[in-house]
């Protein structure tokens, strides 16, 4: 299958963003929120664990967080930032067996090893892995004492260039016996993805078709979200502007 690139959202469906690199400013904000437990699925509209990445982990079974969504939407950067963050640079994960994790990230996911630290430089060893011209996009430190509990890091996502590659990734993960935790389309962002666990239980995502935001700040309305729980269902039920050939 040769599928075209997604017809992405910029200022509105079908309109590309201007080429201007002008930045919008930040507005300083202070949060004064009381977070309690209540029915998170009721607040988020999630059904059967389809909300957000790792839906099953987001199931609180009666626990809720009472937050003021409208208030959160007003939080923005201050006007005169002295620097501008351009992109996510790299992620460093602690792993319990460096060699085992290197095998997974290289032979299953296709990352290349750039450099390695011996234990005299870093207890447990340190591996720098790349998927582009950057020296490293992900790094592994072999000092973890247990599997990931998702207490701090929820998941790490990797973009691929076509929808076919998401299908190919799913098949490779199945062949290699990896634990797949989700496949299909989430809601916000509308990317089509497969989510899975590495040997230490870190959740990873391979995706295609993430909505893009232009200088006007236009964001796809929630009424256009179509959460799907298989890749096939996501292809059969495209969202507005996502150019998928059936």
């Amino acid at each position: 299958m040769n599928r075209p690139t997604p017809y992405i959202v910029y200022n509105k469906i079908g309109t590309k963003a201007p080429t201007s690199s002008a930045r919008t400013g930040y507005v300083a904000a202070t949060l004064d929120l009381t977070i309690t437990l209540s029915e998170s699925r009721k607040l988020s509209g999630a059904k059967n664990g389809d909300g957000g990445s790792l839906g099953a982990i987001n199931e609180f079974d009666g626990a809720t967080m009472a937050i003021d969504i409208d208030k959160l939407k007003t939080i923005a950067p201050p006007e005169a930032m002295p620097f501008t963050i351009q992109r996510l640079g790299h992620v460093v994960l602690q792993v319990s067996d460096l060699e085992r994790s290197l095998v997974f990230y290289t032979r299953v996911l296709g990352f290349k090893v750039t450099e390695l630290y011996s234990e005299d430089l870093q207890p447990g060893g340190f591996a720098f892995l790349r998927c582009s011209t950057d020296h490293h996009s992900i790094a592994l430190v072999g000092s973890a004492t247990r599997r990931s509990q998702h207490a701090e890091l929820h998941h790490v996502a990797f973009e691929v260039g076509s929808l076919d590659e998401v299908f190919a990734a799913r098949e490779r993960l199945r062949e290699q016996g990896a634990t797949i935790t989700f496949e299909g389309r989430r809601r916000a962002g509308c990317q089509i993805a497969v989510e899975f666990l590495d040997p230490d239980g870190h959740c990873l995502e391979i995706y295609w078709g993430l909505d893009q935001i232009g200088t006007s700040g236009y964001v796809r309305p929630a009424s256009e979200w179509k959460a799907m729980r298989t890749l096939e269902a996501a292809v059969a039920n495209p969202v507005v502007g996502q150019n998928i050939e059936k």
Side-chain angles (χ1 to χ4, degrees):
M1 296 184 295
N2 289 317
R3 303 185 188 281
T5 55
Y7 191 55
I8 51 184
V9 175
Y10 282 109
N11 292 332
K12 60 182 180 179
I13 299 294
T15 302
K16 279 198 170 184
T19 57
S20 170
S21 61
R23 307 289 180 182
T24 55
Y26 263 75
V27 175
T30 302
L31 280 179
D32 181 18
L33 300 176
T34 300
I35 299 178
T36 59
L37 295 178
S38 100
E39 303 165 355
S40 77
R41 272 186 289 176
K42 182 177 180 182
L43 288 173
S44 66
K47 295 179 180 179
N48 299 323
D50 68 354
S53 295
L54 273 184
I57 290 179
N58 289 338
E59 296 277 350
F60 293 119
D61 292 329
T64 64
M65 293 187 296
I67 59 176
D68 185 340
I69 295 298
D70 289 333
K71 187 173 185 178
L72 293 182
K73 288 179 178 179
T74 67
I75 301 172
E79 291 286 347
M81 283 290 293
F83 59 89
T84 300
I85 293 176
Q86 309 233 334
R87 64 187 174 102
L88 176 64
H90 58 268
V91 175
V92 181
L93 299 174
Q94 288 189 308
V95 300
S96 56
D97 185 326
L98 187 61
E99 181 177 353
R100 179 184 66 178
S101 292
L102 274 176
V103 168
F104 180 82
Y105 279 87
T106 57
R107 296 182 184 173
V108 178
L109 299 185
F111 282 85
K112 295 179 180 178
V113 177
T114 304
E115 289 188 86
L116 295 166
Y117 284 175
S118 59
E119 290 197 272
D120 60 328
L121 294 177
Q122 170 67 50
F126 203 127
F128 298 89
L129 308 178
R130 70 185 187 277
C131 61
S132 65
T133 56
D134 284 355
H135 179 275
H136 58 282
S137 297
I138 196 163
L140 308 172
V141 184
S143 58
T145 58
R146 62 176 184 174
R147 286 177 58 84
S148 170
Q149 303 299 305
H150 300 288
E152 295 179 356
L153 178 69
H154 192 284
H155 73 283
V156 180
F158 307 112
E159 183 180 25
V160 293
S162 69
L163 182 54
D164 283 346
E165 291 177 82
V166 179
F167 276 84
R170 182 185 65 177
E171 293 313 303
R172 176 145 185 82
L173 292 166
R174 286 174 173 174
E175 291 168 0
Q176 297 295 317
T179 299
I180 296 176
T181 60
F182 173 83
E183 61 169 277
R185 184 191 292 110
R186 293 298 189 183
R187 293 182 300 229
C190 294
Q191 72 270 30
I192 297 176
V194 57
E195 297 170 14
F196 53 97
L197 303 182
D198 79 355
D200 284 279
H202 298 113
C203 185
L204 309 176
E205 172 184 347
I206 290 176
Y207 72 90
W208 167 90
L210 184 69
D211 283 349
Q212 302 293 298
I213 309 301
T215 54
S216 74
Y218 175 84
V219 178
R220 182 193 298 276
S223 60
E224 293 183 5
W225 296 346
K226 290 185 181 180
M228 298 290 161
R229 297 193 66 80
T230 68
L231 296 184
E232 288 77 11
V235 170
N237 298 275
V239 296
V240 174
Q242 194 170 62
N243 190 7
I244 296 174
E245 291 182 354
K246 295 182 180 179

